[in-house]
Amino acid sequence: MKRFKGFVIKEFYHIFRDYRTLLILFGIPAAQLLLFGFVITNEIKDARIAIYDASKDEVTRKLSEKILSSGYFILGKNLTNYSEIAPILREGNTKLVIVFGSNFAKKLQQDGTADIQILGDASDPNTANILVNYAYGIINTYLSSINSEQLSMRIVPEVRMQYNPELKGVFMFVPGIMAMLLMLISALMTSLSITREKELGTMELLLVSPLRPIQIIIGKVIPYVVLSFIDACIILGMGKFVFGVPIEGNLLLLLTECLLYITMALSLGILISSITNSQQVAMTISLMALMLPTILLSGFIFPVENMPVILQVLCHLMPPKYFITIIKDIMLKGNGIIYVWKETLILVFFTIVFIMISIKKFNIRLV
C-alpha cells in the first residue's frame, strides 16, 4: 500500500505541474457550459418581425400589441405596402411578417372570420416553424377571448408543463452537456496517461516495479477521479446558480451517480490508452469516437424513439444515455434511487467491463 500510495501521489504531482492539463480539466468545462447554456438554445426571444396592417382598426391594433408584448417578438418595421414584404424578407434581418387584411374588425364582427397572413423566412425552417406557431398561438388566444362571451358552453383546456413550466432549453442542455463534458474530459485525460509513459520511456520503470497491473491502472485513475469530481461539482453549481436549473432530488445521490459515471468514463479512457501507442492516436480516438456518439446517440438532443431501429440499438450501448436519464430524474423530477436503479446498474456494468478489459490488455503488454 505504501508503494501504491507513492504512485498515486506521483500522478498528482504530474498533473499539478502541467498547467495545460489543469486548464483542460477546469477551464474548458466551465467555458463550454457557459457557451452551450447561453448560446445554444431552442428558445425564441426578441425575434424581429414586420407588420402590414391594411385595416388599422381597434382589433388589429390590440392584436399587434399582444404579439409585440409577448416577449417573443420585436417590431422591426411597419409596412405600408404589400410589395414591401418580399424585399424585407430577402434582407434576412426580419424573420416573420404578419399581414392583417382590410376591414378586419368589420369582417370579424359580421361574418366571424377575418384574414391574417403569417409569412416566415424558412431559410431556417426550424426557427420559422417555431415563430409561426408562436404567432398563431397568440392570435388564437386573443380571438378566443373576444368570442368567449358569445359561447354559452365552452371547453377550456388547462395545459401545465411538469418539471420545466417555462420550457427553458437550458433544463435540457445542462444534463446533456454535463454527460458530454465529463465523458470527453475524463476519457481524454486518462487516455493520455499510459501513452505518455510509453512515449517518454518511463513505462519500463513501471513494468519492473513491484506494482501489479491493477494497482498501476487504479493509481492512474484515482487523481482524475478526484479532479473530474470537482469538475462535476462546478458544473452542477453553475447550472444551479447561473442558469437556475433546480436540484429537486437528493444531492448525495446525485453526487454518487456523478462519481460512478466519472469512474466509468475514466475506465474507458484507460482502456483506450492501454491499446494505443501514442498520445496523438489516443486523443483522436477519445475525441472522434466519443464526442459525436455522446451528442447524437445519447438522447441529448435527438429523441431515441425517433431513430431507426439499428440506431436505437446503438443508443442502448452508449453510457451517456443512461447518465442523462439519471441526471434528469434526480435534478428535475426529484426521483430517488428506486427510479434510477436500472440505469445505475448498467453504468456499474460498463465500468466493470472497461476496467477488466484494461487489466487484461495491460497484462498482455507486461509479458
Side-chain angles (χ1 to χ4, degrees):
M1 288 303 299
K2 288 183 179 180
R3 291 191 293 265
F4 176 71
K5 180 180 178 182
F7 179 70
V8 173
I9 293 174
K10 186 268 293 183
E11 288 296 317
F12 272 110
Y13 282 146
H14 275 311
I15 295 172
F16 287 135
R17 71 185 184 185
D18 187 351
Y19 297 105
R20 291 172 297 181
T21 300
L22 292 177
L23 179 62
I24 293 174
L25 279 171
F26 297 113
I28 290 181
Q32 288 189 348
L33 183 61
L34 290 173
L35 182 65
F36 275 82
F38 285 116
V39 177
I40 301 180
T41 178
N42 55 2
E43 300 171 24
I44 299 297
K45 183 179 180 182
D46 293 341
R48 188 176 296 274
I49 67 171
I51 296 177
Y52 172 51
D53 187 354
S55 182
K56 293 184 173 62
D57 54 42
E58 184 70 13
V59 176
T60 58
R61 184 183 63 80
K62 289 184 176 180
L63 256 177
S64 299
E65 291 176 355
K66 279 283 185 181
I67 292 171
L68 297 176
S69 64
S70 65
Y72 302 124
F73 307 103
I74 58 174
L75 181 62
K77 187 177 181 181
N78 272 315
L79 305 181
T80 58
N81 193 290
Y82 195 87
S83 61
E84 297 180 60
I85 295 177
I88 200 170
L89 286 176
R90 287 195 187 98
E91 291 176 3
N93 295 324
T94 301
K95 300 300 181 183
L96 197 75
V97 177
I98 298 176
V99 180
F100 295 104
S102 57
N103 299 319
F104 189 91
K106 184 178 180 180
K107 290 181 179 179
L108 189 63
Q109 186 175 8
Q110 292 179 350
D111 304 331
T113 59
D115 301 323
I116 299 178
Q117 188 175 24
I118 303 175
L119 303 171
D121 179 3
S123 58
D124 184 347
N126 292 330
T127 302
N129 187 52
I130 293 173
L131 290 175
V132 168
N133 287 334
Y134 280 6
Y136 184 77
I138 295 169
I139 293 170
N140 270 349
T141 301
Y142 178 74
L143 294 180
S144 297
S145 66
I146 293 178
N147 296 326
S148 60
E149 297 179 356
Q150 303 174 9
L151 300 176
S152 57
M153 298 181 63
R154 292 186 298 143
I155 298 176
V156 181
E158 181 179 338
V159 180
R160 178 181 298 176
M161 296 296 181
Q162 291 290 93
Y163 315 122
N164 186 7
E166 298 179 6
L167 298 178
K168 292 183 178 179
V170 72
F171 280 36
M172 177 188 75
F173 284 116
V174 166
I177 293 167
M178 186 173 180
M180 182 186 69
L181 290 179
L182 291 180
M183 170 65 79
L184 291 179
I185 296 297
S186 302
L188 177 62
M189 291 293 97
T190 50
S191 66
L192 300 179
S193 60
I194 292 180
T195 52
R196 184 188 299 116
E197 302 280 0
K198 296 175 185 177
E199 289 190 351
L200 295 178
T202 55
M203 178 57 73
E204 290 80 1
L205 298 176
L206 295 178
L207 296 177
V208 298
S209 70
L211 294 173
R212 296 180 180 180
I214 189 172
Q215 290 178 312
I216 295 176
I217 291 176
I218 294 176
K220 289 282 185 183
V221 166
I222 286 178
Y224 293 107
V225 168
V226 175
L227 298 176
S228 297
F229 184 73
I230 296 174
D231 261 341
C233 294
I234 293 174
I235 294 173
L236 287 175
M238 293 179 65
K240 170 73 174 178
F241 298 108
V242 177
F243 298 106
V245 180
I247 302 179
E248 300 290 350
N250 187 283
L251 181 59
L252 180 60
L253 175 61
L254 179 61
L255 294 177
T256 303
E257 295 288 354
C258 290
L259 187 60
L260 172 61
Y261 182 73
I262 289 168
T263 304
M264 184 279 305
L266 294 171
S267 303
L268 179 57
I270 287 291
L271 172 60
I272 294 173
S273 67
S274 65
I275 61 177
T276 55
N277 295 316
S278 68
Q279 294 185 68
Q280 183 177 3
V281 175
M283 184 179 295
T284 302
I285 293 176
S286 298
L287 291 177
M288 300 303 296
L290 297 179
M291 183 170 66
L292 287 179
T294 300
I295 295 175
L296 300 178
L297 300 178
S298 65
F300 169 24
I301 297 178
F302 307 105
V304 175
E305 296 77 10
N306 295 344
M307 300 180 185
V309 177
I310 296 178
L311 291 182
Q312 290 187 33
V313 173
L314 291 177
C315 290
H316 289 297
L317 299 177
M318 297 291 121
K321 172 184 179 296
Y322 305 100
F323 182 66
I324 291 175
T325 301
I326 291 172
I327 291 295
K328 288 183 177 180
D329 276 10
I330 297 176
M331 291 185 66
L332 304 182
K333 299 181 180 180
N335 291 338
I337 188 64
I338 192 173
Y339 291 95
V340 297
W341 66 270
K342 293 181 181 178
E343 290 80 6
T344 302
L345 288 181
I346 292 173
L347 289 183
V348 171
F349 171 75
F350 277 117
T351 303
I352 294 174
V353 168
F354 292 150
I355 290 178
M356 296 304 295
I357 296 176
S358 300
I359 293 172
K360 182 178 179 180
K361 293 292 183 180
F362 197 80
N363 258 323
I364 292 174
R365 294 184 182 277
L366 286 175
V367 176

